[in-house]
Amino acid sequence: MNVKRLILIAMCTTVLFVQEQMLMIVPNVQFTTLLIVLYASMFRFRETVAIVVVYVLLDNMFMSSFHPLYTPPMFIGWLTIPVMYHTLLRKTKREMTLAFFGLFFGFYYGWVFIPFRMIEQGVGVFWNYLILDIPFEIIMAVSNFLTILWLYRPLYETLSDEMTRLESENGYVADRR
Amino acid sequence: MKKLLITLSVVLALLGVYVIVVGFSPYGESDVEGEIGVRVIDASGQAVIDDTLPFHEDDTVFDVLNRHYDLTLTTYSSVAGRALLGIDSVITDFANDFLYITLHHPVWEDGEIVDYDIEAAQSGIDGLPLRDGLIIVFTVTTVGGGSP
């Protein structure tokens, strides 16, 4: 990996972290899913995994929220995006498919925490958590759907142009399929 | 045009689900009228709020608190529903400190409260029960400081 690419990945991680902190005042409205989907389609699998790992570690450090029952579901939840992108989604660039994936992910991300809450607070918390979290999962699902559907394509084209320009000297060409 | 239609359809469908879930979820709503006690203890251990508040049929704990105080709210993945950061001037940031919630369930005998069963809340304010005579205590607790 060359230095330019390493810097680009670091900058993308910074954007991911900063936008989440800036949008924290609006419950469950964020560009995190859009950006991780975008990065999954721009970078190699291991590079996207590195971005997600650094982002989750940074987020937990900043929020003082490292916890054996809180940090692991965050890793599982966010790492699902690159895993799904490279398997079930077959590296698609279709914004409609990705938008519906984002919609599903809004619910899935909330459900990932349920088993960990059950370990912490008992099996009885299952229905409580499931019902109470649905409104917030819907907000995240709508946010994911709208941002991916309307912003994925322009962001992808801009970023891939920049990457091609940045790395053309090294023979790198962004995948524009 | 097609994209816009799909956007509108999906948003309206999810809005419908949201209204149904929020509107018809029976969780936390009271079947009767009554009173609850609300205590807020700040970082120095002083009770800055100690009120008895009436509630009506179909109220939730959130409804009652929201009617009487300025609430500071947010959401976190670790908390189902809304996370309460502050009540009036008592504000926490959930990173360095938070509101530790304990429920004092009344033990009734012959129509009178004779004792309280105290338990730590297992959910955020959206999951708290609303029962006559219940006292809800919010204690500012420093992260890493353990239970107050």
Side-chain angles (χ1 to χ4, degrees):
Chain A
M1 187 185 296
N2 63 49
V3 175
K4 281 181 184 175
R5 194 169 177 87
L6 198 61
I7 291 170
L8 187 66
I9 291 169
M11 285 177 69
C12 287
T13 312
T14 308
V15 170
L16 185 65
F17 174 70
V18 171
Q19 64 80 31
E20 169 127 336
Q21 297 306 319
M22 285 179 71
L23 288 170
M24 206 148 235
I25 48 168
V26 193
N28 278 22
V29 175
Q30 32 76 25
F31 297 107
T32 311
T33 310
L34 163 72
L35 289 175
I36 296 178
V37 167
L38 179 71
Y39 298 161
S41 58
M42 298 295 309
F43 298 111
R44 297 183 192 102
F45 175 73
R46 62 182 180 180
E47 291 170 339
T48 317
V49 168
I51 290 173
V52 171
V53 168
V54 172
Y55 157 71
V56 173
L57 289 175
L58 266 178
D59 187 71
N60 279 274
M61 273 197 277
F62 191 74
M63 299 298 294
S64 308
S65 56
F66 274 114
H67 191 283
L69 295 176
Y70 178 69
T71 311
M74 277 188 79
F75 276 118
I76 294 169
W78 292 122
L79 284 173
T80 300
I81 295 177
V83 170
M84 291 289 278
Y85 183 80
H86 287 273
T87 54
L88 206 67
L89 293 170
R90 296 178 180 186
K91 303 182 183 180
T92 182
K93 304 280 190 297
R94 292 186 62 229
E95 64 258 47
M96 194 61 77
T97 308
L98 293 171
F100 276 102
F101 168 73
L103 190 148
F104 162 76
F105 185 80
F107 293 93
Y108 167 82
Y109 187 72
W111 298 337
V112 167
F113 285 83
I114 294 178
F116 293 88
R117 293 287 80 77
M118 287 166 72
I119 293 169
E120 184 185 24
Q121 298 172 6
V123 178
V125 80
F126 176 80
W127 286 110
N128 181 359
Y129 191 98
L130 192 70
I131 292 169
L132 289 175
D133 210 39
I134 285 176
F136 301 95
E137 288 164 6
I138 291 173
I139 294 171
M140 188 175 178
V142 171
S143 166
N144 290 349
F145 182 81
L146 292 180
T147 53
I148 293 173
L149 189 61
W150 290 94
L151 298 177
Y152 173 79
R153 178 57 57 187
L155 281 175
Y156 179 81
E157 284 171 3
T158 306
L159 194 57
S160 59
D161 284 346
E162 287 300 316
M163 281 177 76
T164 305
R165 193 170 59 81
L166 193 70
E167 301 207 15
S168 56
E169 291 169 17
N170 301 313
Y172 172 83
V173 178
D175 182 3
R176 295 295 302 268
R177 279 175 297 169
Chain B
M1 190 63 188
K2 184 186 163 196
K3 204 163 140 180
L4 196 64
L5 278 175
I6 292 172
T7 302
L8 283 173
S9 309
V10 168
V11 169
L12 283 175
L14 286 176
L15 195 67
V17 175
Y18 182 89
V19 169
I20 290 167
V21 169
V22 171
F24 294 99
S25 171
Y27 200 90
E29 281 188 359
S30 173
D31 297 328
V32 294
E33 296 187 344
E35 287 182 338
I36 56 164
V38 175
R39 286 182 200 151
V40 179
I41 298 167
D42 68 11
S44 66
Q46 297 291 313
V48 289
I49 292 173
D50 191 353
D51 295 332
T52 302
L53 308 173
F55 64 85
H56 313 292
E57 212 174 307
D58 296 334
D59 268 349
T60 63
V61 169
F62 175 79
D63 295 334
V64 178
L65 293 176
N66 200 33
R67 252 198 313 269
H68 293 88
Y69 309 111
D70 287 331
L71 304 181
T72 308
L73 302 153
T74 188
T75 57
Y76 289 110
S77 302
S78 57
V79 178
R82 288 163 284 207
L84 183 64
L85 293 180
I87 301 176
D88 285 349
S89 60
V90 179
I91 308 285
T92 62
D93 60 10
F94 218 74
N96 300 303
D97 51 8
F98 65 98
L99 288 173
Y100 183 83
I101 307 173
T102 45
L103 304 173
H104 297 228
H105 298 281
V107 179
W108 295 86
E109 261 184 35
D110 301 327
E112 287 193 9
I113 297 171
V114 292
D115 199 4
Y116 287 96
D117 284 334
I118 302 172
E119 66 157 348
Q122 299 295 307
S123 66
I125 51 162
D126 286 313
L128 298 181
L130 185 56
R131 299 194 188 105
D132 191 25
L134 176 76
I135 297 172
I136 305 172
V137 181
F138 300 93
T139 307
V140 175
T141 304
T142 307
V143 171
S147 304

